């Protein structure tokens, strides 16, 4: 289908790599209406000098509202004020920054961690261990498999062992950011955190055990709003 295309526009499912494009010699623009890039081989595109654009922040507000909605419902069910809990935000990009602002405006104590931004001199960031000590931890990082700031299994077995059963762990980024096997081991021992998951390891072939362990489970739709989809399309149009 793309062999004769001049332009390729995708969302999050299509794997854009050499296998897909090796027979196409006329393509001159690739765009993904997404924040995440783990489905795009950007190194391959650079080698072929094919311009590429994505849409960072297009669905950020939708994800923020998803997280806050979950927290408000949880606070209501467990009969506490959200402002009496501390929230740790890992990743202060487009989504994380907005979440920090929104929670702060609700009177919630928020600590944020973002090593790449910290290395660039950005102020007001906390160390990972300090953020993980909060009552609620929300993940908003890209999936990075190697390098100094890798996020693959960022929340590992050692971290999970330190989590109390009352802690809330929210993931709306990528499933592989959590060591799902270690998480399940903690849950089997009744020592795991309360889970609010929108993403899972190996999507779409996800482990039903993990889903059934969640307090709230949604099928990767936190950012799937009409606003987000429209904005992503508009950003790609402008980039093209």
């Amino acid at each position: 289908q793309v062999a004769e295309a001049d332009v390729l526009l995708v969302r999050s499912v299509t794997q854009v790599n050499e296998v897909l494009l090796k027979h196409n010699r006329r393509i001159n623009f690739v765009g993904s209406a997404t924040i995440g890039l783990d489905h795009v081989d950007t190194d391959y595109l650079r080698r072929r000098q094919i311009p590429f654009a994505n849409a960072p922040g297009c669905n950020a507000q939708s994800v923020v509202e998803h997280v806050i909605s979950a927290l408000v419902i949880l606070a209501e069910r467990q009969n506490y004020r959200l402002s009496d809990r501390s929230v740790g935000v890992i990743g202060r990009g487009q989504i994380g920054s907005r979440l920090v602002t929104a929670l702060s405006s609700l009177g919630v104590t928020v600590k944020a961690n973002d090593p790449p931004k910290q290395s660039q001199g950005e102020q007001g960031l906390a160390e990972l261990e300090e953020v993980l000590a909060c009552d609620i931890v929300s993940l908003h990082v890209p999936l990075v498999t190697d390098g100094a700031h890798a996020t693959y299994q960022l929340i590992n077995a050692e971290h999970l062992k330190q989590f109390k059963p009352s802690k809330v762990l929210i993931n709306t980024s990528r499933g592989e950011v959590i060591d799902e096997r270690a998480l399940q081991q903690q849950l089997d021992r009744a020592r795991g955190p309360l889970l609010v998951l929108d993403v899972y390891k190996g999507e779409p072939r996800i482990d039903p055990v993990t889903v059934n362990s969640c307090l709230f489970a949604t099928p990767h739709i936190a950012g799937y709003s009409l606003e987000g989809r429209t904005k992503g399309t508009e950003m790609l149009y402008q980039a093209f």
Side-chain angles (χ1 to χ4, degrees):
Q1 291 179 329
V2 303
E4 300 298 321
D6 299 299
V7 174
L8 174 62
L9 304 180
V10 301
R11 292 192 186 271
S12 61
V13 176
T14 306
Q15 297 295 312
V16 181
N17 50 32
E18 184 176 4
V19 173
L20 181 68
L21 298 176
K22 64 182 177 181
H23 297 302
N24 184 311
R25 290 296 153 188
R26 57 189 288 177
I27 199 158
N28 55 50
F29 182 82
V30 173
S32 180
T34 61
I35 297 173
L37 297 176
D38 45 294
H39 60 299
V40 180
D41 188 342
T42 53
D43 290 335
Y44 172 72
L45 297 181
R46 274 194 293 271
R47 288 198 301 272
R48 282 196 49 186
Q49 298 182 321
I50 299 171
F52 170 75
N54 66 324
C58 65
N59 62 357
Q61 192 59 34
S62 175
V63 178
V64 169
E65 292 172 4
H66 179 96
V67 172
I68 290 180
S69 295
L71 291 178
V72 169
I73 293 170
L74 181 59
E76 183 179 44
R77 286 186 180 181
Q78 297 193 344
N79 195 30
Y80 62 78
R81 293 172 60 88
L82 188 54
S83 57
D84 292 336
R85 297 294 189 269
S86 59
V87 177
V89 175
I90 301 179
R92 201 168 74 175
Q94 294 273 358
I95 297 170
S97 295
R98 294 189 192 201
L99 181 60
V100 168
T101 300
L103 288 171
S104 298
S105 71
L106 293 172
V108 178
T109 300
V110 188
K111 296 180 181 179
N113 169 263
D114 194 313
K117 290 195 171 186
Q118 197 167 30
S119 67
Q120 295 168 4
E122 187 161 324
Q123 301 298 308
L125 293 165
E127 295 300 321
L128 180 62
E129 296 301 326
E130 189 178 356
V131 170
L132 291 176
C134 291
D135 302 310
I136 300 161
V137 175
S138 191
L139 306 175
H140 302 284
V141 297
L143 179 60
V144 181
T145 56
D146 53 24
H149 301 304
T151 60
Y152 177 75
Q153 295 190 354
L154 176 68
I155 306 301
N156 58 34
E158 289 304 312
H159 296 137
L160 292 165
K161 287 177 183 177
Q162 299 171 29
F163 282 13
K164 296 178 181 178
S166 60
K167 186 186 289 290
V168 179
L169 179 59
I170 304 172
N171 191 8
T172 55
S173 58
R174 288 294 186 269
E176 287 79 5
V177 172
I178 299 174
D179 183 342
E180 203 167 287
R181 178 179 292 183
L183 174 63
Q184 198 56 57
Q185 289 174 347
Q186 289 299 106
L187 292 168
D188 290 343
R189 301 184 186 115
R191 297 177 182 173
L194 299 172
L195 294 176
V196 177
L197 299 183
D198 184 55
V199 291
Y200 312 86
K201 178 185 176 183
E203 296 176 24
R205 297 176 183 86
I206 63 177
D207 186 349
V209 175
T210 301
V211 176
N212 290 329
S213 300
C214 292
L215 192 64
F216 302 133
T218 47
H220 204 149
I221 49 83
Y224 204 74
S225 64
L226 177 60
E227 176 194 35
R229 291 175 66 81
T230 303
K231 194 175 293 184
T233 303
E234 168 71 11
M235 290 171 73
L236 286 197
Y237 169 73
Q238 296 292 348
F240 176 57

